[in-house]
Amino acid sequence: MRVKEKLLGWKNYLVEKYNEVMDLPDAPHKIAHGVALGTALDFFPIPLISIPVAYLLARCLRVSAVAAALSAAFFKWAVPFFYALNYLVGSTLIGDSLAVGAGAGGSLSTLKQMGYPFFIGAAIDAALAWILIYFPVRRILELRRATKHS
């Protein structure tokens, strides 16, 4: 019973955050760009400051700063997975091999050891994440708004 309540609470939280972003009063392309930007920044080793960086960068690019900050904050739980993926992609491309342990997302010394493969992977993964997020979010926003207005 307790697990079911926690799952329901988690689901309600996700729905709330989803609606918060989808109801932002901005153009769909600006909101989608903000969401994609905030998520993409989480692939880089700028831990807690990625939220204000996402906000400020979005403001400079004239896209939804709120959407950027919310998505950067939301995906913090996935950063260790993003970091491991960065190294995997980068090392596959340049042929380097350093074992990525369970703590790969945490310490700066681990990131320093990973070096170029990590940063090459981060750039590629961030670009792919941006593409994979921007277009579906924009389309969902457009469809959502079209059905609300009809």
Side-chain angles (χ1 to χ4, degrees):
M1 185 76 159
R2 187 119 170 111
V3 172
K4 189 174 180 180
E5 290 172 4
K6 283 187 178 191
L7 287 174
L8 186 58
W10 181 243
K11 180 186 170 216
N12 290 339
Y13 173 78
L14 290 176
V15 169
E16 179 185 319
K17 291 302 171 194
Y18 169 82
N19 287 325
E20 191 174 332
V21 170
M22 293 298 167
D23 291 337
L24 288 171
D26 215 340
H29 72 277
K30 289 184 176 188
I31 295 170
H33 191 125
V35 171
L37 175 67
T39 306
L41 284 175
D42 276 342
F43 283 90
F44 294 100
I46 48 176
L48 294 173
I49 64 167
S50 69
I51 298 166
V53 167
Y55 182 86
L56 294 172
L57 188 55
R59 296 267 321 214
C60 290
L61 295 171
R62 295 186 178 164
V63 299
S64 177
V66 173
L70 284 172
S71 65
F74 178 77
F75 283 104
K76 287 295 171 226
W77 63 270
V79 166
F81 302 109
F82 290 172
Y83 285 9
L85 181 63
N86 289 347
Y87 184 75
L88 181 66
V89 168
S91 63
T92 300
L93 286 175
I94 66 170
D96 196 10
S97 63
L98 170 71
V100 178
S107 74
L108 280 175
S109 63
T110 304
L111 291 177
K112 207 174 190 183
Q113 278 183 313
M114 292 181 183
Y116 290 116
F118 176 83
F119 289 103
I120 289 169
I124 291 167
D125 292 342
L128 287 173
W130 190 94
I131 291 167
L132 291 172
I133 289 171
Y134 174 80
F135 292 105
V137 169
R138 181 177 177 165
R139 185 69 181 139
I140 290 167
L141 280 163
E142 290 168 346
L143 290 171
R144 183 178 166 121
R145 291 185 181 183
T147 57
K148 274 189 172 182
H149 294 299
S150 55

